[in-house]
Amino acid sequence: MVPGITGGVDVVVRSHAIEEALAKYRAGWSLDQFFYTNAELFDYERRTWLARQWFLIGHSSEVPQTGSYIVREVLAESLIVVRTSPDTVKGFFNVCRHRGSRICSDDGLAAAFTCPYHAWSYGIDGRLRSAAALMDGIDKAELGLKTVQLREIGGLLFCTLDPNTPNLDSASFLPGLEYQGVPSARIAARRQYPTAANWKLVMENFHECYHCLPAHPQYSGVMGHVKRYAMDAAGPAAAWNSEVDAWARTQAIADFPQSVVETAEADWSYTEITRFPIGGGRRTQSEDGQPVAPLMGRYTRYDGGVATFGVPPFSFFFLLNDHAVLFQFLPRATEFTDVTVTWLVDAASVPDAVDVERMVWLWDVTTLQDKAIIEANAAGVRSRAYEPGPFSKLEQWGVPLITQYIDDLRSQ
Ligand code: FES
Ligand code: FE
């Protein structure tokens, strides 16, 4: 148990049906229907494996000053995330220590949190400050709000429900976030794409580009790397590698802190920042390739690059010269996943200098397409005719997530 952190994860006994499904898993094939549709399994995951993951839950600008707080739901838990000092953000379960009422319902700014039921009042540090007519012998010091692990890293807010989840290692991505100006950025747009499908169908989709040519004409038109990730052909892949090499030699900014450039050898695992050109001379991910906002952070010119990284398995980031895109995936129910996309721009950019519709165009149209194909996938997986099918050569980047999940469940 991490000292000072409470609200831990239950010890959960799992059913024979879950054991059987785990034993039947066949690597390289999609999962049995059970994994995508079984409510008992989802409840088990929610209380164990999912509770141990780090989730992106916001940006620092959402809690700009001491006392600013946001209320967010993670795995059916309501959390209060509050800035307790200029340098500290804390997370609490939104559960009153008197009889359990929700305390906050909306984001806000407060000097204290007062429960609407019987008016117990907590400091923004979670300590119980006042409670009328308490019985003798009750120690208020033992009745503070329960804390949740919360990290503010480079302007991003992450949480995990399990107090024993190891700390997030940010060494590989923090310098890139700082270069990009993410800590001081402002949110220019946020859109929700609630998807009626189990989280595994959503994440399998996110990790492969086999579907890019049939399902994403706009993305395939913008992103040069589909030549490599969406085609099983040597010619386009070689052409893409040459374009990347030429860009790295002649165009790419030299001082981005992670200099790794996507090459034929890259594994697209998202665990380190990979930087590569959008392609075709585009300067950003807009329809015409032209800028949509002022340069962010420490960029001094447009080089048309995009840096990508993730805090797997549920948070992924795309850093362009003039904006940054944050992807949040949050499993909400057995067959329901919240997908939130947030677009950041430089802190100094005035609203008139940002063309929001042109900025959101690519990922908005692409994520709507993904929602549609994932929901169609989920509908078919519910059929009596469904059985696992073989992943292709172009779907291999998602397989490690599923095998890791299976290995973890088998050993927990
Ligand atoms: Fe919160 Fe009673 S439940 S004060
Ligand atoms: Fe897609």
Side-chain angles (χ1 to χ4, degrees):
M1 182 71 81
V2 177
I5 304 237
T6 50
V9 171
D10 319 330
V11 174
V12 186
V13 177
R14 67 190 178 205
S15 68
H16 182 64
I18 297 175
E19 296 292 353
E20 235 178 16
L22 288 170
K24 270 171 61 189
Y25 169 68
R26 186 176 174 190
W29 292 66
S30 64
L31 293 164
D32 276 348
Q33 183 186 61
F34 182 89
F35 284 101
Y36 301 122
T37 61
N38 185 272
E40 183 188 24
L41 174 66
F42 180 76
D43 195 51
Y44 174 73
E45 293 171 343
R46 188 177 66 76
R47 293 158 73 186
T48 59
W49 192 84
L50 288 172
R52 292 199 294 272
Q53 308 305 325
W54 285 100
F55 292 96
L56 175 70
I57 54 164
H59 181 255
S60 296
S61 65
E62 295 177 82
V63 283
Q65 64 188 94
T66 299
S68 302
Y69 65 93
I70 56 176
V71 181
R72 296 290 181 267
E73 189 177 314
V74 175
L75 302 175
E77 296 287 357
S78 178
L79 306 176
I80 303 167
V81 174
V82 57
R83 186 168 297 282
T84 56
S85 78
D87 302 325
T88 316
V89 181
K90 289 190 171 166
F92 300 105
F93 286 86
N94 188 11
V95 177
C96 182
R97 294 300 307 281
H98 176 218
R99 281 169 46 201
S101 172
R102 289 278 183 257
I103 301 163
C104 300
S105 52
D106 296 313
D107 302 354
L109 175 66
F113 300 122
T114 301
C115 179
Y117 201 168
H118 312 93
W120 280 27
S121 182
Y122 302 87
I124 57 172
D125 60 1
R127 268 186 269 211
L128 179 61
R129 280 199 195 152
S130 66
L134 271 189
M135 295 281 194
D136 292 343
I138 301 294
D139 183 1
K140 288 212 291 270
E142 291 177 5
L143 293 170
L145 296 177
K146 293 198 175 182
T147 58
V148 66
Q149 282 211 72
L150 197 292
R151 297 285 177 275
E152 181 179 34
I153 298 172
L156 304 176
L157 302 170
F158 296 93
C159 77
T160 177
L161 294 187
D162 189 334
N164 298 314
T165 304
N167 202 357
L168 254 181
D169 180 2
S170 60
S172 65
F173 61 84
L174 181 56
L177 288 175
E178 287 172 341
Y179 187 97
Q180 184 77 21
V182 169
S184 62
R186 70 174 176 87
I187 296 174
R190 172 173 286 161
R191 299 206 179 167
Q192 315 280 350
Y193 305 89
T195 302
N198 181 265
W199 64 267
K200 298 176 210 75
L201 292 176
V202 177
M203 301 322 303
E204 285 167 357
N205 170 275
F206 187 79
H207 281 289
E208 51 95 352
C209 208
Y210 193 33
H211 69 275
C212 286
L213 287 174
H216 296 316
Q218 294 84 357
Y219 184 87
S220 300
V222 167
M223 297 304 295
H225 73 173
V226 298
K227 294 191 199 73
R228 186 176 148 217
Y229 291 106
M231 298 178 194
D232 181 27
W240 173 242
N241 288 341
S242 307
E243 187 173 347
V244 173
D245 288 344
W247 174 82
R249 275 198 319 275
T250 63
Q251 296 288 317
I253 52 167
D255 61 342
F256 193 85
Q258 275 87 2
S259 58
V260 180
V261 171
E262 181 189 59
T263 68
E265 291 73 41
D267 68 0
W268 204 238
S269 66
Y270 287 102
T271 51
E272 59 181 326
I273 291 190
T274 301
R275 204 159 183 278
F276 54 94
I278 299 163
R282 289 172 185 276
R283 297 203 282 174
T284 196
Q285 284 181 325
S286 57
E287 192 165 6
D288 62 2
Q290 295 307 308
V292 294
L295 289 167
M296 278 191 84
R298 301 209 287 269
Y299 294 107
T300 53
R301 64 181 174 85
Y302 289 85
D303 72 351
V306 51
T308 71
F309 73 99
V311 175
F314 293 113
S315 313
F316 299 92
F317 309 91
F318 299 90
L319 312 178
L320 290 307
N321 294 152
D322 56 3
H323 65 284
V325 189
L326 320 180
F327 271 83
Q328 284 170 262
F329 297 95
L330 267 168
R332 183 174 285 269
T334 310
E335 294 194 68
F336 201 88
T337 305
D338 285 335
V339 180
T340 303
V341 184
T342 303
W343 288 263
L344 302 176
V345 294
D346 195 72
S349 61
V350 295
D352 280 355
V354 178
D355 192 331
V356 172
E357 288 310 311
R358 285 177 57 240
M359 179 174 61
V360 305
W361 167 77
L362 180 65
W363 284 114
D364 183 57
V365 72
T366 301
T367 311
L368 284 170
Q369 289 158 346
D370 278 328
K371 172 179 159 66
I373 56 179
I374 294 165
E375 289 180 347
N377 187 180
V381 163
R382 280 179 218 121
S383 166
R384 70 173 72 189
Y386 170 76
E387 60 180 294
F391 285 122
S392 71
K393 289 182 200 165
L394 295 171
E395 292 164 284
Q396 298 309 310
W397 296 285
V399 172
L401 166 63
I402 296 301
T403 52
Q404 182 70 53
Y405 159 85
I406 295 284
D407 287 349
D408 288 352
L409 258 63
R410 280 177 172 168
S411 60
Q412 79 184 13

